[in-house]
Amino acid sequence: DTAVSQTPKYLVTQMGNDKSIKCEQNLGHDTMYWYKQDSKKFLKIMFSYNNKELIINETVPNRFSPKSPDKAHLNLHINSLELGDSAVYFCASSVRGPRGTGELFFGEGSRLTVL
Amino acid sequence: SQQGEEDPQALSIQEGENATMNCSYKTSINNLQWYRQNSGRGLVHLILIRSNEREKHSGRLRVTLDTSKKSSSLLITASRAADTASYFCATDAGGTSYGKLTFGQGTILTVHP
């Protein structure tokens, strides 16, 4: 059983299109994240949700809209795709505890290529 | 600005040798974590060290943390070809940054059989 699964694994699309990436975790975690990894492997947080509530929104263009229908799912919708959106998008989850951010469990990534 | 910076950017060694990777960061932290990423895969958590800890071991991994120098090191002993991967440090600043892990750019480790 995959702990954090995201679909699709690959996305190739034209500029201006809209696309969505879905993420599901079966670990019972209450916090989920979207990270973006660029071509230089730099990993940057985009969003974090705790129990369906947005807690981190890191100056991401509002073309990116996360949605958490329940605490096991966090989807990412991207409108009007641009060339610079090409990257690998990782979903992750963790338990929110009193002693800080714990171990993150990552999905396998969704590689988005915008042509 | 980027919180964690890793050194070296790339490391190439022979099987059986030890590999040491360093991470420096800028602000105070709650904890520091190390992750491994195999090519084309997601990140896998290796070890977490809290700000009040100085050293931690897990199997062939040894992590140290020096909060006065704002630096950490990851030592992999008796490396194997299967250790070939990118290694990232990530810092948790805590407080209002709760839930936000800030990653370094990683060290690419190649272990030759």
Side-chain angles (χ1 to χ4, degrees), chain B residues 59-108:
Chain B
R60 293 183 296 113
L61 306 181
R62 173 179 167 246
V63 167
T64 62
L65 179 64
D66 186 335
T67 52
S68 66
K69 293 181 180 176
K70 292 188 169 58
S71 67
S72 174
S73 68
L74 170 67
L75 168 67
I76 304 174
T77 58
S79 63
R80 305 167 182 166
D83 295 328
T84 294
S86 294
Y87 290 82
F88 295 87
C89 67
T91 51
D92 170 29
T96 55
S97 297
Y98 185 95
K100 178 182 168 183
L101 277 190
T102 303
F103 283 80
Q105 282 193 285
T107 293
I108 300 171

Side-chain angles (χ1 to χ4, degrees), chain A residues 9 33 35 37 41-43 45 56 58 90 96-97 99-104 106-108, chain B residues 2 30-31 33 35 37 40-43 45 48 50 86 88 92 98-101 103 105:
Chain A
K9 191 169 170 64
Y33 311 81
Y35 277 83
Q37 187 173 45
K41 296 233 173 170
F42 180 49
L43 204 68
I45 190 167
I56 293 174
E58 280 288 296
F90 285 98
R96 182 172 185 159
R99 298 175 70 190
T101 306
E103 172 186 358
L104 263 57
F106 281 84
E108 291 290 286
Chain B
Q2 192 175 325
N30 191 29
N31 68 58
Q33 304 180 29
Y35 288 81
Q37 183 179 32
R41 307 296 299 273
L43 281 79
H45 182 266
L48 180 154
R50 301 195 186 282
S86 294
F88 295 87
D92 170 29
Y98 185 95
K100 178 182 168 183
L101 277 190
F103 283 80
Q105 282 193 285

Side-chain angles (χ1 to χ4, degrees), chain A residues 30-83:
Chain A
D30 54 5
T31 306
M32 295 185 72
Y33 311 81
W34 279 110
Y35 277 83
K36 178 181 179 181
Q37 187 173 45
D38 65 22
S39 58
K40 295 183 179 177
K41 296 233 173 170
F42 180 49
L43 204 68
K44 186 169 166 55
I45 190 167
M46 300 172 68
F47 301 103
S48 172
Y49 271 75
N50 177 256
N51 280 322
K52 302 194 297 175
E53 181 188 345
L54 180 67
I55 56 172
I56 293 174
N57 182 344
E58 280 288 296
T59 54
V60 176
N62 52 18
R63 298 184 294 104
F64 290 79
S65 51
K67 280 193 174 49
S68 182
D70 56 60
K71 72 175 192 176
H73 295 84
L74 180 62
N75 304 323
L76 183 65
H77 188 74
I78 316 169
N79 289 328
S80 304
L81 278 155
E82 300 177 357
L83 292 175

Side-chain angles (χ1 to χ4, degrees), chain B residues 37-56:
Chain B
Q37 183 179 32
N38 288 81
S39 181
R41 307 296 299 273
L43 281 79
V44 174
H45 182 266
L46 294 176
I47 200 162
L48 180 154
I49 186 164
R50 301 195 186 282
S51 59
N52 62 352
E53 297 175 311
R54 291 297 165 256
E55 189 170 310
K56 210 157 179 184

Side-chain angles (χ1 to χ4, degrees), chain B residues 3-4 23-27 29 32 65-67 70-72 91:
Chain B
Q3 169 75 317
C23 168
S24 61
Y25 56 92
K26 296 184 174 69
T27 64
I29 60 169
L32 184 144
L65 179 64
D66 186 335
T67 52
K70 292 188 169 58
S71 67
S72 174
T91 51

